[in-house]
Amino acid sequence: MFLVGTLSLAGIPFFAGFFSKEEILGAAWVGGLTVPFGMLVLAAFLTAFYMFRVIFIAFLGGPAPAHAGHGGPGGAHAHDAPAIMALPLWVLAALAMGLGIWFSVSHPEGGFAPPGWLTPLAVGVAVAGIVFAWLVYGLRAISGDRIFERLSWIGEAAVERFWLDDLFALVYRRIILGVSQIVGWVDRYIVDGILNVLSAWTLTAGDRLRRIQTGQAQDYVYGVALGVLLLMVWMRWPR
């Protein structure tokens, strides 16, 4: 069942993973995404390689050496998974095979027409990854340590997470924090400053206008009489 899942992930025909990968590759190529298409092809090769690396090391390789403090050979405690763990894996394996065979017999029509060479390319890349894993970890005709030494810069970059954390830290400290400080200064001294000045002016004007109202009736009568007098003077004023 692990082999079925591995074949599906590797993109081998008659397994569900093959059709999903082929559709993604076809969509990238038809969409004119040449660089992403090349990256996806490389990813398909590496997927087949590292998945079958697990197959050759875990299932077809010799037992691991015994650890310190444990007697007997290293593989003495190896055993099959219990049913509660194996049953879900069997279900997934059956689905991977069933869907793969069903798509092979009755493949749904896609929204685009991929080129004819896409299927041989997808199969060839997957088979090349499997063969390469077999040569390195099955036959051991190619030294995996030597490959790692020659590609050590990729390993170092992978260990350093391709320096993405450093890039994010640089962007965060130099750009995001700098912009946030500028925005905070503008908000504190310009936006809040203008609002504080307007609110202070409003409070001051309110305090001054409030003095007009004394709460005494005679003051309101005097005000009305003064207004009527001014109105009469304005109406009698020669034009």
Side-chain angles (χ1 to χ4, degrees), residues 228-239:
V228 172
L229 179 61
L230 292 175
L231 181 62
M232 292 176 63
V233 172
W234 180 72
M235 292 178 62
R236 296 285 183 175
W237 194 267
R239 293 180 176 84

Side-chain angles (χ1 to χ4, degrees), residues 31-213:
L33 304 174
T34 306
V35 175
F37 176 81
M39 295 174 65
L40 290 172
V41 172
L42 178 61
F45 171 80
L46 294 177
T47 301
F49 172 74
Y50 73 71
M51 289 304 299
F52 271 85
R53 172 182 179 273
V54 176
I55 291 291
F56 289 118
I57 292 178
F59 297 99
L60 302 179
H67 296 286
H70 298 276
H77 300 287
H79 58 82
D80 292 332
I84 193 172
M85 295 177 61
L87 182 59
L89 296 178
W90 279 113
V91 172
L92 293 175
L95 289 174
M97 288 192 63
L99 291 175
I101 295 174
W102 179 51
F103 284 159
S104 300
V105 176
S106 177
H107 190 277
E109 295 294 334
F112 56 88
W117 49 264
L118 183 62
T119 298
L121 174 65
V123 176
V125 166
V127 172
I130 296 173
V131 171
F132 189 54
W134 176 61
L135 292 175
V136 176
Y137 300 103
L139 291 180
R140 300 194 181 276
I142 301 175
S143 174
D145 296 334
R146 183 174 299 177
I147 295 175
F148 181 79
E149 290 176 358
R150 294 187 177 182
L151 300 178
S152 59
W153 60 276
I154 299 180
E156 293 176 359
V159 170
E160 296 294 335
R161 300 179 183 88
F162 294 93
W163 297 279
L164 291 177
D165 292 343
D166 298 333
L167 177 61
F168 291 155
L170 178 63
V171 171
Y172 173 75
R173 294 171 183 172
R174 300 294 183 182
I175 299 178
I176 297 179
L177 288 183
V179 173
S180 64
Q181 289 176 356
I182 296 175
V183 172
W185 186 89
V186 172
D187 181 70
R188 186 179 303 109
Y189 294 103
I190 296 181
V191 177
D192 289 349
I194 294 175
L195 292 178
N196 291 334
V197 169
L198 292 177
S199 62
W201 287 352
T202 303
L203 292 175
T204 302
D207 290 337
R208 294 178 179 179
L209 289 174
R210 186 175 57 184
R211 298 173 185 176
I212 299 175
Q213 298 186 5

Side-chain angles (χ1 to χ4, degrees), residues 1-12 47-48 51-52 54-55:
M1 55 186 170
F2 185 83
L3 180 61
V4 171
T6 304
L7 290 172
S8 180
L9 288 173
I12 300 301
T47 301
M51 289 304 299
F52 271 85
V54 176
I55 291 291

